[in-house]
Structures are given as C-alpha cells and as structure tokens.
Amino acid sequence: MKTLQRPRVRIAPALLAGLLVATSGCVVEGDAVYEAAPLPETGGAGGSGGAGGGAGGAGTTPSWAEIEPIMIEKCGACHGDPLSGGAPYGLITYADAAAHAERSAIRTKFRTMPPPGSPAMTDAEIALLQAWSDAGAPETLEAPPAPVAEWATIEPILVDKCGPCHGATPSQGAPFPLVDYANAAMYAERSAIRAEFGTMPPQGLGFAPCTADEKALLRAWADAGAPEKAQ
C-alpha cells in the first residue's frame, strides 16, 4: 500500500522572518525591527498620560515650534543625528518630521513608539502630533489678517462698550449717540482719546474697558479720518 506524503512547503527566509515579526508584536521599518508595545484594549492612552505636553490648546493647530521639542525629547535618542538603535530616518528636523508626520501620529496613538523603555508620550503630546498631522504638518502658522479700520469693525466696539449709554436714545447723561456711523465718525478722535486714557467706558459704572486691540483700532480709524469703508 502506497503511503501519501504531504508536499513540503518551502518558505523564503525573508518571508518567514516577516511572519515571525507579524506574530510577535513587533514593528518593521526597512531593515530595522522594533519591539512594539501592546495596543490598548480601548482608545485609552495609557503611558505617562495626562496633563503634560505642548502648549497648543484644544482645537488649535500646532506649528513645528511646538512639535520640535517633542520629537527631540521623545524620538531624538534613536531618530536623531546620527541615527541609532536601528531607526531608519530622522525626526528632529522639520523636513524629516513633516515627511513622516502621519506615521508618527499613528505610532504614538497606538503607543508602538517610542519603544518600551523609552520616555512615553503624554496624552497631550499625542494629541498635538495628531493635530499637526491632520493639518498637513505646517512649519509655521499664518497670522490672521489685522482687522481693517472701517465702520464695520468699529461699530461692534462702540455698540458693546459705548452703547449702554451712547445708544440710539442716550441715557445716564450721555450727550450724544455713538451707535450710528454719522455720530461715531463725528466723535471718532474723542472716542479714541477717551478709550486710550480709560475714561470711557466709565469704570465707576462697572463697564469693561476697551482692550488693547480695540483701542488700537479706534485710534487707527480716527487717524484715517473715520472712513465708512476702508479704501
């Protein structure tokens, strides 16, 4: 009786190594193999978690200035200059970090990087890296355009800070309204001076003073001749 034998399957060494890595909780990047921390059972962050991290607030887009210290402290030991520990690329220059921003965000989110034994990312640092990646890894953030000194930007200031007394019908001894363009333009210089010296709005009545930006805008509007529409 003839005995049937199963055919032998030959697995290439590279493929076998890949299978071993895939089942051993490791991360492969090029020729480097890093041991990976186990994934969290929930979306929880684990690690050293919590309050630490960069300066960006919730909902804000961080710039490279906020990301660089994280990369240097938490990634620079291996992904620095020179590379060490089998790291395949740098992460401490803007160009390198930006090129790998999405990968860094994913690895830190699932805590496979930094590897075990290295300082762990805080929750705040992980959130910053994710926000930076989602925003396209910007190097700098463009400052919002300065408000134009015209009636459309002056009216809300006067309504808020002067309207309670200098409304359409003046009250509490106010001699004229300031919530319409004609009157506001007539008293533009006076309003700018009173705001600069803090005599208006009157503090004794509990009104909030004009902010530095509001004072600057009132001054710019008065200096420009109180235009209804900026040229």
Side-chain angles (χ1 to χ4, degrees), residues 45-50 52-53 67 69-75 91 104 107-109 111 113-114 118-127 129:
S48 61
I67 299 300
I70 301 174
M71 292 300 191
I72 291 175
E73 179 187 355
K74 300 297 174 67
C75 309
L91 283 174
S104 297
R107 290 288 169 82
T108 56
K109 176 181 178 181
R111 296 195 178 273
M113 286 291 164
S118 300
M121 293 275 184
T122 66
D123 291 352
E125 288 170 338
I126 292 171
L129 289 173

Side-chain angles (χ1 to χ4, degrees), residues 4-161:
L4 296 178
Q5 295 182 348
R6 293 181 180 178
R8 293 183 178 181
V9 179
R10 298 181 61 85
I11 302 177
L15 178 58
L16 178 60
L19 291 173
L20 290 174
V21 166
T23 58
S24 64
C26 295
V27 177
V28 180
E29 292 187 2
D31 295 329
V33 179
Y34 302 92
E35 288 189 7
L39 300 184
E41 294 182 0
T42 66
S48 61
T60 63
T61 300
S63 66
W64 174 237
E66 292 176 79
I67 299 300
E68 183 180 21
I70 301 174
M71 292 300 191
I72 291 175
E73 179 187 355
K74 300 297 174 67
C75 309
C78 296
H79 294 269
D81 185 13
L83 300 173
S84 65
Y89 48 77
L91 283 174
I92 60 172
T93 66
Y94 168 71
D96 287 338
H100 301 285
E102 184 177 9
R103 177 175 287 190
S104 297
I106 293 172
R107 290 288 169 82
T108 56
K109 176 181 178 181
F110 289 102
R111 296 195 178 273
T112 59
M113 286 291 164
S118 300
M121 293 275 184
T122 66
D123 291 352
E125 288 170 338
I126 292 171
L128 276 175
L129 289 173
Q130 186 65 60
W132 191 57
S133 172
D134 290 345
E139 184 171 10
T140 58
L141 302 179
E142 294 184 4
V148 178
E150 60 184 16
W151 178 236
T153 55
I154 297 298
E155 183 181 17
I157 301 173
L158 297 182
V159 169
D160 177 41
K161 298 298 172 64

Side-chain angles (χ1 to χ4, degrees), residues 149-151 154 181-189 218-230:
E150 60 184 16
W151 178 236
I154 297 298
Y181 171 70
N183 281 287
M186 185 182 305
Y187 296 103
E189 178 66 23
L218 287 169
R219 168 48 56 198
W221 190 56
D223 290 347
E228 185 171 10
K229 186 71 176 176

